[in-house]
Amino acid sequence: MKRKFQLFLLLICATIQLQAQDLAHYKRVIKEITSAKYQGRGYAKDGANKAGKFLQKEYKKAGVDEVILQPFAIDINTFCGKMEMWADGKKLQAGVDFSMREYSPGVHGEFPVYHVDTLNFDADRMYADLQKPEYVNALVCCDFWFSYKHREAFSRLQKAGECNNAGLLQTWTSPIKFYKAYGERVVDKPIIWVTPEAIEGVKSVRVNVDNKFLKDYKLFNVIAKVSGERHDSCYVFTAHYDHLGNLGKKIFYAGANDNASGTSAIVTLAAYYAKHRPPYDMYFLAFSGEDANLRGSEYFANNPIVPLEQIKYLFNIDMIGDNNPVQYCEVSDEGMRGYQLFEQINGEKHYFKALNRGDLAANSDHYPFAERHVPCIFLENENGDAFPFYHTIYDDWQHAVFDSYEPVFRLVVDFIEKY
């Protein structure tokens, strides 16, 4: 009889755990917002705002007490028109062989290619070569990291009136990345990412690329609230739901790991706390504009709907769609008073083999809060099977990884119960 009762308790515990972190719900949200309907949750085709409206409905279905849309506006460079390139007559594939730097203007025409001699590099000789008739209006080709190392010399090649080049070709190993979407400005000359294999030995390229710079483009944060027993303090969960959007008319970046994974996690956390009323108020902030230089979280931090000093702890969940057994995190100075508890819980429950704490950086939506002395932790599961697809067209539903969701969910819930 005693053994039957123990088995019954184990079954009850297992049922509670399954109800706590809803993997089916988590997967459903990821699959939805990575679909073509949302066009990579970018800004040119209203994909981000469509995803935001979907999240508004999801929060309401989850049973939260209140959902608010917090509007703000950005200036952003986009690529939703023509996106074509040929290397010595061979058609290259957008998103596979080439992509655009986020702040590049459009480019149309045929251009000679000047390959930089990186073994015997001399900036003055490069400038002199570009004066030669065969290289007038050339696209200068060089490995990105080499040009970054010599960025003072290469910055001249991006400015109108400096040198005779038409722009830059920056090589990046496959899979080719969009890299960043911070295009809040447009430089004078085009800059194109291209794989070394696609451009090696190429003498000329033909390019037909459109850009569109959007001024005062309207976006919004989606804010859900679950009321607790006390209202003088609160916990906050954040994740950005926007992504890179389009590369031409046909290609979009689905962003399953970045950051459909984090967005879906806070939706299921909202559903959990709507069913299990917490002692304190809970806010679930789905930010837009993260891929435009943290604009949504920065706006909220400057215009909070709850005083920042009332936040007991903030959890920023970004790119947890991976399977590294070691969980990466960043912690604000004020958040360090809770970090020992994170480590203690993880050590006892073995959710991850270890927590790897890195230096605090302006790399996600926790940073505007850390700057304002809010206790916070950034959770990102990096360097697993999904990480190489970061900011590529392969970060999609077909390559989605779900291993880190449940341990992240349980670690956060356990922390709140004990903090």
Side-chain angles (χ1 to χ4, degrees), residues 193-221:
W193 292 110
V194 61
T195 62
E197 299 81 8
I199 204 66
E200 184 179 6
V202 169
K203 295 182 179 179
S204 70
V205 296
R206 183 158 62 92
V207 190
N208 191 21
V209 170
D210 294 332
N211 81 305
K212 186 175 183 181
F213 190 76
L214 305 176
K215 290 283 293 182
D216 197 33
Y217 187 78
K218 304 297 189 297
L219 297 171
F220 53 85
N221 299 321

Side-chain angles (χ1 to χ4, degrees), residues 144-159:
F144 166 75
W145 291 112
F146 185 88
S147 64
Y148 183 78
K149 179 180 178 181
H150 300 276
R151 53 191 174 275
E152 185 174 344
F154 281 87
S155 66
R156 286 187 57 189
L157 303 179
Q158 299 180 22
K159 299 175 183 177

Side-chain angles (χ1 to χ4, degrees), residues 313-376:
Y313 219 90
L314 180 148
F315 312 86
N316 180 35
I317 304 177
D318 192 351
M319 291 176 60
I320 61 164
D322 219 327
N323 56 5
N324 191 336
V326 175
Q327 174 66 40
Y328 177 79
C329 59
E330 295 175 13
V331 185
S332 67
D333 290 343
E334 288 75 11
M336 285 302 297
R337 63 175 178 261
Y339 184 65
Q340 185 176 356
L341 179 58
F342 267 103
E343 289 192 308
Q344 177 187 327
I345 293 170
N346 187 66
E348 293 172 354
K349 300 292 186 69
H350 306 290
Y351 293 136
F352 295 96
K353 286 186 177 180
L355 301 180
N356 174 26
R357 184 169 65 87
D359 293 334
L360 189 67
N363 54 0
S364 190
D365 289 317
H366 58 292
Y367 192 73
F369 297 93
E371 283 191 306
R372 292 163 176 82
H373 310 293
V374 173
C376 58

